[in-house]
Amino acid sequence: MADNKIKKVVLAYSGGLDTSVIIPWLKENYDDCEVIAVSGNVGQGTELDGLEEKAIATGASKLYVEDLNKEFVEEYVFPTMKAGAVYEGKYLLGTSFARPVIAKRIVEIAKAEGADAICHGCTGKGNDQVRFELAIKAYAPDMKIIAPWRTWEFKSREEEIAYAEAKNIPLKINRETNYSKDKNLWHLSHEGLDLEDPANEPMYNKEGFLEMGVSPEQAPDKPEYVTISFEKGIPTKINGEVTESVAVIEKLNEIGGRNGIGITDIVENRLVGMKARGVYETPGGTILYAAHDKLEEICLDKDTLHYKKNLANTFADLVYDGKWYTPLREAMSAFVDSTQEYVTGEVKFKLYKGNIIDAGVTSPYSLYDEEIATFDEDEVYDQNDSAGFINLFGLPIKVRAKKGLIK
């Protein structure tokens, strides 16, 4: 398998099972090549602790830990949230839009280091292989990509664990708690083990399963109110306090997590053709999406709102499929931005045991006119006008009826 032309490889490194095993595997199979590990910090928290020591101990020459949180939120999360993009009605794309920003930075480092190849630890069954590689192609179209899961001898995570144990590679998991997880500022995903059977109820109340919050049953018996302020579709304040972009997500994660918000169990259609079951924790993101959607109810006209909701599905598909760096995604974001000019105001929610309950919405640009909408007497709406409107609106139906074409 050895490719003598490959002397230096940049590895997308998380310190998890796959990438921990990959470092010694690369050196064994590519003639003791130099391996440079790169970890993109998009909010993994304590998962980044001790990574440098671990990477060096397992054979890497160095480790880059790049703080991408602000870029991640402002250039990937917020544009997707403003679009209202939700994959298959449930998944808030937490892993999907984290991959492009990480891959872009890895390419930049690979170029600076003069690397011969970029390596990732994505499996041949997953979506992330596509997301990483499309981003790499966008910024380094001629760069060789190494994807060990598609070629190596291991057939399961259990075999990887055995290899790691044989190489004395420290792992934070074991065979009994070996869920496949992906964590960032926006969410935490859980896959594998008992979750592979959709008939099994997730063990939400088992100690250590949920990490970003509690189950609805364990949430407080008293509701909590939260107010989110937006300017042109971007959240700027939480409960009246000005908050920068990353802190918005962190604060809403705290609030949502303790109230059992944002736990989703989904069997989704993967890009590679199979269905896969996963549990996602997205406490802050779920609140943010709901608040933005609520504000748009009063700030957008009917045609724009309806068209934007149709567009949201396509936007979600593009993000899920790894097509962030494409002309269509960019054009759709430009359209979305134009719709957000007057999406400014405040949304108040009551959070209670996993539920987000509307508690009021205001905007200086609200298109809701109480005087027009009222059931009481008014002087601005002539109800007699509706008769002529209905006659014209229903004219095509009337013509077809008179021709005997209505079945």
Side-chain angles (χ1 to χ4, degrees):
M1 181 184 293
D3 186 341
N4 293 328
K5 294 181 180 179
I6 296 178
K7 303 296 184 183
K8 184 182 292 189
V9 179
V10 169
L11 168 65
Y13 183 73
S14 68
L17 174 61
D18 295 331
T19 56
S20 295
V21 168
I22 283 173
I23 293 177
W25 183 89
L26 282 172
K27 297 180 77 67
E28 287 178 359
N29 288 274
Y30 287 90
D31 197 22
D32 198 30
C33 65
E34 180 182 0
V35 179
I36 298 172
V38 179
S39 293
N41 178 5
V42 286
Q44 298 94 313
T46 57
E47 290 183 8
L48 297 172
D49 295 347
L51 275 195
E52 182 174 12
E53 180 182 356
K54 182 176 182 180
I56 301 300
T58 51
S61 63
K62 68 176 75 171
L63 169 70
Y64 288 87
V65 177
E66 301 293 292
D67 187 352
L68 304 174
N69 281 285
K70 186 176 178 65
E71 182 181 357
F72 173 48
V73 172
E74 296 182 359
E75 298 185 24
Y76 298 83
V77 173
F78 284 171
T80 305
M81 180 272 299
K82 288 191 294 183
V86 182
Y87 185 68
E88 297 188 337
K90 296 178 75 175
Y91 174 40
L92 297 184
L93 298 164
T95 300
S96 308
F97 50 34
R99 296 304 181 238
V101 65
I102 295 172
K104 180 181 177 182
R105 184 61 183 136
I106 288 172
V107 169
E108 292 169 351
I109 291 173
K111 288 181 175 180
E113 287 281 354
D116 303 304
I118 291 174
C119 179
H120 64 74
C122 308
T123 75
K125 289 185 176 182
N127 302 303
D128 278 348
Q129 58 182 334
V130 181
R131 296 164 185 155
F132 267 115
E133 294 186 28
L134 292 190
I136 293 168
K137 292 178 186 299
Y139 288 97
D142 297 322
M143 180 69 70
K144 181 174 178 60
I145 299 172
I146 300 174
W149 259 108
R150 300 204 287 256
T151 59
W152 67 9
E153 62 273 25
F154 308 124
K155 303 302 180 184
S156 67
R157 290 174 66 82
E158 286 72 20
E159 290 184 12
E160 283 185 275
I161 292 174
Y163 177 87
E165 290 172 345
K167 296 289 184 179
N168 295 315
I169 298 172
L171 299 174
K172 294 181 180 180
I173 62 172
N174 57 51
R175 287 176 171 82
E176 288 70 39
T177 61
N178 186 22
Y179 286 106
S180 177
K181 297 186 179 185
D182 177 74
K183 184 178 183 181
N184 59 43
L185 181 67
W186 186 251
H187 89 155
L188 174 64
S189 64
H190 309 256
E191 294 179 320
L193 298 182
D194 55 299
L195 297 179
E196 291 189 345
D197 184 351
N200 292 332
E201 179 182 2
M203 296 181 289
Y204 296 130
N205 293 322
K206 181 179 179 180
E207 184 177 357
F209 182 77
L210 296 177
E211 297 181 26
M212 297 185 73
V214 300
S215 68
E217 299 97 316
Q218 294 175 321
D221 294 329
K222 182 180 179 180
E224 179 176 356
Y225 286 88
V226 62
T227 301
I228 304 103
S229 303
F230 291 84
E231 293 182 12
K232 296 185 176 182
I234 299 295
T236 56
K237 297 179 183 178
I238 304 297
N239 293 328
E241 295 185 6
V242 176
T243 310
E244 62 87 26
S245 58
V246 173
V248 163
I249 310 301
E250 292 174 335
K251 184 64 175 177
L252 289 177
N253 278 340
E254 292 176 13
I255 295 171
R258 62 177 173 252
N259 286 285
I261 305 295
I263 302 169
T264 300
D265 182 353
I266 179 175
V267 176
E268 70 196 56
N269 289 292
R270 281 184 177 169
L271 175 59
V272 293
M274 70 185 71
K275 289 183 180 290
R277 197 270 188 97
V279 170
Y280 297 101
E281 298 179 61
T282 322
T286 300
I287 296 172
L288 197 57
Y289 260 75
H292 183 263
D293 188 63
K294 188 66 182 177
L295 186 57
E296 285 192 327
E297 283 184 11
I298 66 171
C299 292
L300 297 186
D301 64 278
K302 175 184 174 181
D303 287 346
T304 301
L305 182 64
H306 287 194
Y307 188 82
K308 185 171 176 290
K309 286 186 179 297
N310 290 332
L311 174 147
N313 287 329
T314 302
F315 197 108
D317 286 345
L318 290 174
V319 177
Y320 189 86
D321 293 348
K323 295 182 177 180
W324 186 270
Y325 302 116
T326 60
L328 179 56
R329 201 283 306 164
E330 292 171 359
M332 294 177 78
S333 284
F335 165 78
V336 169
D337 285 344
S338 73
T339 69
Q340 301 299 292
E341 181 69 21
Y342 301 108
V343 181
T344 294
E346 289 188 349
V347 178
K348 186 177 182 180
F349 287 142
K350 179 165 64 175
L351 310 178
Y352 183 66
K353 291 190 175 294
N355 295 289
I356 300 175
I357 303 165
D358 294 338
V361 55
T362 61
S363 171
Y365 304 111
S366 175
L367 300 179
Y368 177 81
D369 190 319
E370 186 175 355
E371 190 175 6
I372 293 176
T374 182
F375 284 101
D376 293 331
E377 182 179 354
D378 69 83
E379 297 180 356
V380 297
Y381 186 93
D382 188 344
Q383 298 194 32
N384 290 322
D385 289 344
S386 62
F389 164 74
I390 294 171
N391 285 336
L392 294 178
F393 191 65
L395 184 59
I397 296 175
K398 183 176 180 180
V399 170
R400 293 187 75 244
K402 294 181 71 171
K403 294 291 186 179
L405 302 178
I406 303 295
K407 296 180 180 180

